[in-house]
Amino acid sequence: MDPISIKRPSDPYDLIWNEQPLPHFCYSLFSPYARLSHAVLTRHGGMSGGPYHSLNTSFGVGDHPDHVAANLHIIRDFLGARRLIHMKQVHGTRILAVHREDEKKEVFMPSADALITDAPGLALLVKQADCQGVILFDPGRRVVAVVHCGWRGNANNILSKTTARMQQEFGCRACDLLACIGPSLGPCCAEFVDHEKLFPEALKVVQVNGTAFFDLKAFSRRQLLDAGLKKEHIQVSGLCTRCRTDLFYSYRGEGRTGRFGTVAMLT
Ligand SMILES: [Zn+2]
């Protein structure tokens, strides 16, 4: 594979780039914690061709299923995971919790938009092409979650629902949780011409100067703060998927395309 030219991040709070062994970004917020393996993968390093080139993680976009299965194996091996759980993401609010004691139960592509576990070696994958992939981590109680959050996820506050489940089922406290919001549609490209019809009133707070553009990452950040997270416990990537189709898939930018993965696993 040719080396990927990546502009050095100008934002000190942005992600750390690693090209080997599989191109990916890491969050500096998670760096001190050896108990968590995580990666924001890109579109590079996989088997898919055409518009899905090359590390597409979704069976639902028209890519060859053998290529998608091979890509998921690449990701599982990269993390050294015993098992990789991924979802049929439906822009809903169903959250699946896989407890350590029931991790051997068969869960094949559940319809859900968030996964939580306290089981080491179990990799959780969220798939994106403009939506936000969010990782939540409790370093003390060793619980991790991944969330798929598009504007519907913001409207339904899936982030606070996920933190609530982490509190109820795993004994986490919101003030201990760390959260990272990944590369996704930035305010530069998040134009919603029908926002008056589509969006609930709450989303207006992140409307950019009365235009049809919205800062959905800022909205997620706000929802996490409202859920009780500390501001120094939240990292937000400045990367916009539509502006960076050299690195990521973008549904808005490309239409027929793949989905890149964000993965997290307790070690
Ligand atoms: Zn953009």
Side-chain angles (χ1 to χ4, degrees), residues 1-6 17-19 21-25 40-48 52-57 71 74-75 78 244-249 259-261:
M1 191 172 53
D2 293 331
I4 300 155
S5 64
I6 169 127
W17 172 239
N18 302 285
E19 193 155 331
L22 187 63
H24 69 281
F25 290 92
V40 177
L41 299 156
T42 68
R43 66 187 302 158
H44 300 285
M47 305 294 285
S48 302
Y52 312 108
H53 176 81
S54 64
L55 193 64
N56 170 43
T57 60
N71 290 342
I74 289 170
I75 294 169
F78 163 67
R244 297 302 305 264
T245 50
D246 58 323
L247 288 170
F248 304 107
Y249 300 109
R259 301 288 181 270
F260 66 95

Side-chain angles (χ1 to χ4, degrees), residues 65-79:
D66 290 350
H67 293 165
V68 181
N71 290 342
L72 295 175
H73 275 282
I74 289 170
I75 294 169
R76 197 191 66 191
D77 291 349
F78 163 67
L79 278 184

Side-chain angles (χ1 to χ4, degrees), residues 92-260:
T93 53
R94 184 160 177 257
I95 299 159
L96 182 77
V98 183
H99 290 261
R100 198 189 273 253
E101 55 273 18
D102 56 27
E103 66 158 310
K104 291 208 171 66
K105 276 187 204 154
E106 203 56 47
V107 272
F108 180 73
M109 255 179 80
S111 283
D113 285 277
L115 295 167
I116 312 172
T117 195
D118 59 353
L122 201 64
L124 309 179
L125 171 78
V126 60
K127 311 163 188 180
Q128 310 114 94
D130 292 339
C131 288
Q132 297 164 30
V134 180
I135 302 175
L136 293 159
F137 175 51
D138 182 334
R141 295 194 178 266
R142 293 185 194 155
V143 180
V144 71
V146 296
V147 187
H148 168 243
C149 183
W151 71 263
R152 288 181 191 83
N154 283 131
N156 295 320
N157 209 339
I158 190 167
L159 292 170
S160 88
K161 289 184 169 77
T162 309
T163 62
R165 277 287 286 279
M166 293 175 84
Q167 293 172 71
Q168 290 152 14
E169 281 192 38
F170 294 90
C172 303
R173 293 190 311 170
C175 61
D176 295 330
L177 293 177
L178 308 179
C180 290
I181 300 170
S184 49
L185 210 56
C188 41
C189 294
E191 185 183 22
F192 292 86
V193 283
D194 288 334
H195 64 90
E196 304 258 12
K197 267 190 281 175
L198 295 176
F199 280 9
E201 193 67 23
L203 276 165
K204 289 228 167 73
V205 297
V206 288
Q207 192 166 6
V208 181
N209 302 326
T211 65
F213 289 82
F214 289 78
D215 190 345
L216 295 174
K217 293 187 223 191
F219 197 76
S220 289
R221 193 172 181 284
R222 179 181 286 235
Q223 288 183 315
L224 290 167
L225 291 170
D226 289 346
L229 274 75
K230 295 181 178 168
K231 67 176 190 307
E232 64 273 25
H233 285 178
I234 302 171
Q235 184 174 9
V236 184
S237 166
L239 287 165
C240 168
T241 41
R242 193 180 179 187
C243 290
R244 297 302 305 264
T245 50
D246 58 323
L247 288 170
F248 304 107
Y249 300 109
S250 170
Y251 178 70
R252 286 213 175 195
E254 303 171 292
R256 191 163 158 233
T257 191
R259 301 288 181 270
F260 66 95

